Amino acid sequence: MKLICYTIIASFATIALAIAAPNKDAMMEKEKAAWQAFKDKKSDDFKKLVDKDFRGVYAEGIFSLQKELDDMQKWDMKSFAISDFDSFTDEPDVIVTTYTVKIDGTYDGKDASGTYNCGSVWKTEKGVWLAIFHTNSKQETGAK
């Protein structure tokens, strides 16, 4: 009987680990993939990483997924580099990421190059991690 109990407990532990949140490196790769799809204006790739009910909060306003996709066309991003990446979770199906991203590019024809403080919220649905929220703000000149 003890062997059956141990086997059941081991099975539950394995299942719990299998559905646990991805590690920090895996989440950074998801963020990079979203930025790359946005930079390359590949809306289909971007939509694979972002929930249909996505919201973004920026200086330009509060964005739905469609507004984000429309705004993608206003960017001419030459490069981006993510640094200071961190992630945490208190729930098995939600992860918060924070990082800085250095962008070289223009938005709506105006220089938008600089370093931005960013944050995203990711949620798993049917085993797939999707961004449900993102925000960023450009660092002030001389900010640390």
Side-chain angles (χ1 to χ4, degrees):
M1 188 63 164
K2 279 187 179 180
L3 182 57
I4 292 172
C5 288
Y6 290 140
T7 303
I8 291 171
I9 290 169
S11 294
F12 283 133
T14 302
I15 291 168
L17 287 174
I19 62 172
N23 67 29
K24 186 173 160 180
D25 291 338
M27 290 313 299
M28 184 168 169
E29 289 305 313
K30 289 196 169 294
E31 289 282 0
K32 280 184 183 177
W35 277 92
Q36 190 66 49
F38 192 91
K39 174 189 171 289
D40 295 342
K41 300 181 182 188
K42 293 185 175 178
S43 58
D44 287 341
D45 290 349
F46 188 75
K47 288 192 286 189
K48 291 176 186 174
L49 296 162
V50 178
D51 187 79
K52 64 182 175 31
D53 296 320
F54 169 86
R55 293 297 182 269
V57 177
Y58 312 107
E60 300 81 22
I62 298 173
F63 287 26
S64 64
L65 175 57
Q66 186 57 54
K67 177 81 170 111
E68 192 84 8
L69 294 171
D70 294 344
D71 210 53
M72 183 186 288
Q73 303 309 312
K74 296 179 181 180
W75 274 94
D76 180 17
M77 203 179 297
K78 293 175 183 62
S79 66
F80 70 91
I82 293 174
S83 61
D84 303 320
F85 187 87
D86 200 8
S87 67
F88 70 91
T89 182
D90 289 344
E91 302 295 329
D93 62 344
V94 176
I95 294 177
V96 175
T97 63
T98 58
Y99 56 95
T100 57
V101 63
K102 185 173 182 174
I103 297 172
D104 179 18
T106 60
Y107 173 77
D108 210 15
K110 297 179 182 88
D111 184 30
S113 300
T115 302
Y116 292 75
N117 298 317
C118 303
S120 299
V121 178
W122 294 78
K123 181 173 180 13
T124 186
E125 291 185 16
K126 299 177 186 168
V128 177
W129 286 93
L130 298 171
I132 60 172
F133 179 81
H134 180 77
T135 189
N136 62 56
S137 61
K138 192 172 185 180
Q139 289 182 359
E140 299 281 332
T141 304
K144 291 186 179 187

